[in-house]
Amino acid sequence: MIRKPTEVLTGIEIGTSAIKVCTGHPLGDGSISIIGIDETPCVNKVVKGEIQDVELIRDLLTDTLTRVEAATGCGIGKAYLAITGAHIASVNAQGEVPIRAEDRKITNQDIVDATRHARGYRLPREQISINSCQRAYLIDGERPMSQPLGMVASRLTADIHFIYGNYNSVQTSCNLVEEALGVPATDIAFAGIADMYGLALEAEPSNGVLVVDIGAGVTEYVVYYQEGCMHSGQVTIGCEQLANDLSIGLQLPIPKARELLRSNGSAMRRAEGGVRHVKVQTALAHPPRTFKESTIQTIIETRLLELFQIIRDDLAEHRMLELLSNGIVLCGGGALIPHIAELSASFFTVPARIGQPGNVTGAENEIQSPRYVTPIGLLHLGYQLQEMEKSNAVPLWKVMKHDLLRMANVAKRAIKF
Amino acid sequence: MSNGRTVILGIGGGAGKVIRCLAANQGTSWLEFAYIDTDAVDLENMPGVTCLSAGNDWAKGQSCGGDPSLGEKAVGASIRELKALVADTEMVIVVGCLGRGAASGGIQIVSRLVREEELLAFFFVTMPFSYEGNGRRKIADSALCDLRENSDIVVAVQNDLLFTTIASDTRAHEAFAMADQVLADGVQGIAELVRCRGMISVDFASLRALLKNREAHCSFGIGHASGANKTVEVIDDLFKSRMLGGRDFLSRSDVVVASLIGGTDLSIGDMNQCLSMLNNQLGTATCSYIGANLVPEKGDELRLTIVSVHYKHKPALVPVSEPAPSPTKPKRGRKGKAKVATDEKQFDLPFVEEMVSLGIFGNVPPTIVKGENLDVPTFQRQGVVLDLDD
């Protein structure tokens, strides 16, 4: 069956290791049927999430999109783009209104006003908002509340989490997609937010989950709490750093180090690593070199522990550590490193698991990998945005809570600027 | 435990008093002491210490009068004796009170000597009290700066820290005697810390990795205790240490190297309790390296030595573009003028290039978190030694 192009959603992730494109068709019950998925390696052309060679990446993206189109037999439809990189930062902004009604009950208008005030936050120069999420409402400046409508209070404070990035960097990615597609991307999202949707966390009790997406160049993390994003961040450390460490430590060429990371990587030092050896053929004329597995594991473990330490320091600074009772979900290519869940569980002392794309059907063998969480998350996000736009009858609080409409507007502004 | 010779070498008047205390201390029979100075008066009355009179032929037993260039010249004249003294030693601990002539100048000669002889050396220097004025402070800063060029481990302790714990009504001569004793204990503690190859090891390499190429000020503390309640008492005793700077100062330190030494009857429970109590005192930003050793002759005694490191700057370890100065560059003639220590100087070191490699991230914007360039492999920054034997 050939579907109409409008029914098709496409998620595009221009990552450090590969350009991933995923097309799907929403089935109406919240799940997405994946109809096409493809990726093109782009090593060295994207470094730490930032595009280094626009022309080449545009050509690679065009090729990938063409292949997906040819394979699925339907168009690209609405495209959603994941944004990441060193330029992404986040900030929490508060907006406050006094409750003026005689009975001092909070009305919809109060909520809108408080949110508007919070949104009035001036981002630093040359920065543009990518996503914004409602963290909580504070009643009288102290009691947090997810649904304040009808509560009696004297003041209402809206607390919003802004994720923003450098205007020029965001615009470069958007222009590139527009040139490859012919039309601008319908929306953009921070890769961590896309992961949150891709893992279908709504299905789980929302006692707080830390989503860590370890990509090739950038690691994004998001604290998902009570159906929303409470905190987010990125560190420009990823699998490329692991490969680079191996390359320097073992004096191997970088392609060999990448191969070694894929074939013999382990996030934790294992007891048997001291006696097991790995042979690596460095050059044709040379005899193969032998390394102890424990050496490889030491290099990987020290780097990953440092990465987790940076994340934990940031979470501790924002008082997020106590919100992680549901543990950690790891995704991205880095989640494929054996034993990484054990390492993160022991480091953060909460349960950890490897996340797979949730709520999807079709091509299951291919897509059930943590690597595809971001592009599939974009499809879920796109679908929810579409639904929001379609139904005007959604209660106001729900719109505020998910905050998707505004996210869409902000994103559109980003593209139309 | 290693069996090689360890020599503690004092340079200049201040160090002489420390060496004298140290030689009189209990449990120092495994150490050898040496002392070099130009001032003949200071060289007298040093039982158990090999004394070298520096530049005897022209200094005529007079002091350097606070001139580091004279100190450098005088100690330089005795280089042959020094060489003989440190030959075949496993480790040399050099003690100097910077700010005056013999120590500030002479220590440079010793630092070059140990580098040429490829010896493990540990420099334990004190910086002058604030009231001694800017002149001495500048001489000390300049000497410390030069010293760091040639040596990997420099533990620089601020004399001012003493005032944080000594009551203001203490008699002056008692306070100074106390200071000498505290420094002597510190040197002994550090010697033991490095000497033992422990169950949980904190060794020379870890100290070197922490202090190499870094401008840091250190403080140290030692706690002793014995008896039933020793694990708690040792921590209390530690915080009474004069040169530690108090609980607050410790919790704000960037790195803490701690070593617990006990007798063979030390139980795992005691060890665990003691080390976790110490850990609780440290701030969240403090990186701790904790070691534990067994020394049979300690018996029931428990001894906790800690070195707390405060980095002056959080340096980004990036390669330097300018050619680094050669370590054997002649420095004479320049020492006479007090030179203000510059921040850049610290990173302009001869061995930075070999330590730092960025691989594929050489030409991309660096990832800097808390002043550290994360593109440099973590194992290199943390000083992890890789087992590369095939």
Side-chain angles (χ1 to χ4, degrees):
Chain A
M1 183 184 93
I2 296 175
R3 295 181 178 91
K4 277 184 256 169
T6 46
E7 287 179 329
V8 177
L9 302 173
T10 301
I12 301 170
E13 186 194 10
I14 303 173
T16 306
S17 68
I19 298 172
K20 299 189 196 99
V21 171
C22 181
T23 53
H25 168 69
L27 295 177
D29 59 350
S31 66
I32 305 248
S33 162
I34 304 296
I35 49 179
I37 194 155
D38 208 328
E39 62 178 290
T40 313
C42 59
V43 178
N44 300 340
K45 303 297 174 228
V46 179
V47 175
K48 296 182 182 178
E50 304 247 12
I51 297 163
Q52 304 285 311
D53 186 340
V54 175
E55 299 278 307
L56 191 93
I57 293 294
R58 190 184 52 218
D59 294 347
L60 291 177
L61 179 63
T62 314
D63 288 352
T64 321
L65 288 167
T66 316
R67 281 205 305 274
V68 169
E69 255 181 318
T72 58
C74 42
I76 293 300
K78 288 183 172 175
Y80 297 88
L81 173 67
I83 301 280
T84 188
H87 59 96
I88 309 275
S90 64
V91 70
N92 296 324
Q94 279 89 29
E96 197 176 75
V97 282
I99 308 301
R100 294 215 175 81
E102 263 179 35
D103 56 0
R104 297 203 294 128
K105 270 191 183 171
I106 294 170
T107 61
N108 273 337
Q109 191 56 44
D110 293 327
I111 299 177
V112 171
D113 287 346
T115 314
R116 192 183 295 139
H117 289 170
R119 277 173 201 289
Y121 180 82
R122 276 181 75 92
L123 290 173
R125 280 178 59 136
E126 301 206 348
Q127 302 294 312
I128 182 152
S129 173
I130 296 169
N131 293 124
S132 60
C133 320
Q134 191 75 49
R135 295 176 83 216
Y137 293 98
L138 293 178
I139 300 211
D140 299 334
E142 51 193 18
R143 280 184 294 146
M145 199 67 64
S146 60
Q147 169 47 299
L149 188 66
M151 306 284 289
V152 176
S154 51
R155 276 183 301 146
L156 175 70
T157 312
D159 190 357
I160 286 184
H161 181 68
F162 278 106
I163 301 171
Y164 61 91
N166 180 283
Y167 176 75
N168 294 336
S169 299
V170 173
Q171 198 58 30
T172 304
S173 305
C174 290
N175 282 353
L176 194 141
V177 170
E178 186 175 348
E179 283 164 22
L181 279 176
V183 286
T186 311
D187 211 334
I188 57 172
F190 173 52
I193 297 286
D195 292 329
M196 214 168 79
Y197 285 90
L199 293 164
L201 295 172
E202 304 93 69
E204 293 184 21
S206 53
N207 285 342
V209 182
L210 170 66
V211 178
V212 182
D213 179 342
I214 306 175
V218 189
T219 296
E220 299 97 7
Y221 54 94
V222 170
V223 176
Y224 174 83
Y225 184 73
Q226 291 187 345
E227 298 174 38
C229 163
M230 285 295 271
H231 182 69
S232 67
Q234 54 77 21
V235 192
T236 42
I237 291 182
C239 296
E240 282 288 281
Q241 254 94 356
L242 289 173
N244 192 42
D245 288 3
L246 287 174
S247 153
I248 292 171
L250 307 178
Q251 292 150 15
L252 286 175
I254 190 80
K256 288 283 170 194
R258 288 193 188 114
E259 205 180 298
L260 188 66
L261 177 65
R262 270 194 293 272
S263 60
N264 291 82
S266 167
M268 273 178 114
R269 268 175 264 195
R270 315 300 299 171
E272 69 275 11
V275 288
R276 285 185 20 191
H277 292 81
V278 181
K279 270 191 184 166
V280 180
Q281 184 76 44
T282 48
L284 280 177
H286 293 278
R289 293 178 59 195
T290 317
F291 302 106
K292 277 187 186 162
E293 272 191 0
S294 60
T295 312
I296 300 168
Q297 289 159 2
T298 305
I299 296 176
I300 298 174
E301 192 190 83
T302 45
R303 174 62 86 173
L304 286 174
L305 283 178
E306 182 182 56
L307 171 64
F308 290 152
Q309 182 67 49
I310 292 169
I311 297 176
R312 189 163 75 176
D313 286 350
D314 182 50
L315 296 183
E317 196 183 316
H318 292 91
R319 296 187 176 184
M320 287 292 137
L321 284 177
E322 53 265 44
L323 299 186
L324 305 184
S325 52
N326 275 28
I328 299 172
V329 183
L330 295 157
C331 57
L336 295 172
I337 300 173
H339 309 295
I340 192 164
E342 287 163 68
L343 183 77
S344 56
S346 73
F347 183 82
F348 287 93
T349 59
V350 287
R353 64 179 175 89
I354 307 296
Q356 306 281 358
N359 251 346
V360 282
T361 56
E364 280 190 7
N365 290 340
E366 276 181 62
I367 59 171
Q368 282 308 326
S369 160
R371 295 183 68 232
Y372 294 119
V373 170
T374 312
I376 290 173
L378 288 169
L379 304 185
H380 281 291
L381 178 70
Y383 170 66
Q384 293 204 15
L385 282 173
Q386 240 181 10
E387 290 300 295
M388 292 280 174
E389 277 177 352
K390 264 189 217 160
S391 89
N392 293 324
V394 177
L396 184 74
W397 65 267
K398 201 166 178 179
V399 179
M400 306 287 289
K401 197 168 180 182
H402 287 278
D403 236 320
L404 294 168
L405 267 180
R406 273 180 186 73
M407 208 152 74
N409 290 339
V410 169
K412 274 178 194 158
R413 262 209 312 275
I415 296 157
K416 284 175 194 158
F417 235 98
Chain B
M1 206 179 295
S2 61
N3 294 317
R5 284 171 62 208
T6 301
V7 172
I8 301 195
L9 173 66
I11 305 177
K17 290 173 193 145
V18 177
I19 295 283
R20 193 178 300 148
C21 286
L22 201 49
N25 264 5
Q26 295 273 317
T28 53
S29 54
W30 62 282
L31 295 166
E32 287 177 36
F33 301 103
Y35 172 49
I36 183 164
D37 198 4
T38 53
D39 196 337
V41 181
D42 283 346
L43 287 165
E44 291 166 8
N45 195 18
M46 301 282 277
V49 180
T50 315
C51 292
L52 294 176
S53 173
N56 204 16
D57 45 345
W58 56 270
K60 306 274 187 266
Q62 302 285 311
S63 83
C64 296
D67 185 348
S69 63
L70 279 184
E72 193 171 359
K73 214 168 155 186
V75 176
S78 307
I79 191 112
R80 200 170 298 159
E81 290 93 325
L82 278 175
K83 239 181 206 174
L85 185 78
V86 298
D88 301 327
T89 50
E90 196 191 38
M91 183 169 72
V92 184
I93 299 181
V94 185
V95 184
C97 300
L98 300 184
R100 301 209 56 202
S104 311
I107 208 160
Q108 313 300 340
I109 297 285
V110 179
S111 70
R112 269 172 260 158
L113 173 75
V114 292
R115 194 182 172 91
E116 278 161 24
E117 300 287 309
E118 295 178 345
L119 296 169
L120 289 184
F122 196 108
F123 289 82
F124 190 93
V125 295
T126 63
M127 303 300 279
F129 288 105
S130 310
Y131 66 71
E132 289 184 74
N134 276 340
R136 287 199 179 172
R137 164 68 54 184
K138 279 181 183 171
I139 291 175
D141 280 346
S142 160
L144 185 61
C145 223
D146 288 345
L147 180 61
R148 284 205 173 106
E149 274 188 14
N150 279 330
S151 33
D152 298 343
I153 305 195
V154 180
V155 172
V157 181
Q158 299 286 350
N159 272 344
D160 287 335
L161 276 181
L162 276 172
F163 287 144
T164 57
T165 49
I166 292 183
S168 56
D169 58 351
T170 313
R171 286 165 204 276
H173 67 96
E174 283 173 14
F176 284 109
M178 219 182 263
D180 292 337
Q181 188 57 50
V182 165
L183 290 174
D185 287 348
V187 174
Q188 191 184 344
I190 286 169
E192 280 181 4
L193 189 151
V194 181
R195 173 202 191 196
C196 302
R197 305 268 154 80
M199 294 177 295
I200 310 174
S201 173
V202 174
D203 54 9
F204 198 84
S206 29
L207 271 176
R208 177 158 54 195
L210 293 173
L211 294 173
K212 193 175 173 181
N213 303 354
R214 296 284 184 97
E215 199 175 347
H217 280 302
C218 304
S219 65
F220 62 87
I222 298 149
H224 298 270
S226 53
N229 205 14
K230 60 187 172 190
T231 49
V232 179
E233 282 168 12
V234 78
I235 298 277
D236 285 346
D237 197 42
L238 175 78
F239 285 111
K240 287 180 197 151
S241 293
R242 308 274 177 207
M243 290 302 252
L244 187 63
R247 269 170 215 263
D248 256 17
F249 195 67
L250 179 69
S251 67
R252 274 185 280 118
S253 52
D254 294 306
V255 179
V256 166
V257 180
S259 168
L260 181 73
I261 300 175
T264 35
D265 62 342
L266 174 68
S267 71
I268 186 81
D270 284 350
M271 195 171 99
N272 190 19
Q273 190 188 4
C274 183
L275 295 181
S276 28
M277 264 160 50
L278 174 66
N279 238 339
N280 291 342
Q281 299 291 339
L282 306 179
T284 47
T286 307
C287 189
S288 57
Y289 292 77
I290 292 181
N293 303 306
L294 288 187
V295 178
E297 59 260 37
K298 285 279 172 211
D300 183 40
E301 195 196 333
L302 203 57
R303 182 188 179 105
L304 183 62
T305 308
I306 74 169
V307 179
S308 114
V309 183
H310 291 249
Y311 293 127
K312 244 188 173 175
H313 312 274
K314 316 285 178 205
L317 292 169
V318 290
V320 288
S321 48
E322 289 172 39
S326 130
T328 51
K329 198 167 95 179
K331 287 199 178 124
R332 281 181 201 181
R334 167 163 97 82
K335 283 283 171 305
K337 292 175 199 161
K339 174 164 60 77
V340 182
T342 55
D343 295 347
E344 296 79 24
K345 194 157 176 52
Q346 274 307 299
F347 310 123
D348 200 10
L349 295 172
F351 28 69
V352 169
E353 290 276 19
E354 66 191 40
M355 180 183 168
V356 166
S357 35
L358 294 169
I360 53 170
F361 297 107
N363 293 325
V364 298
T367 304
I368 308 276
V369 174
K370 292 180 183 164
E372 270 193 286
N373 184 356
L374 299 187
D375 290 339
V376 179
T378 318
F379 69 86
Q380 280 192 351
R381 275 178 287 120
Q382 295 183 354
V384 176
V385 180
L386 298 177
D387 178 7
L388 287 178
D389 292 342
D390 285 3

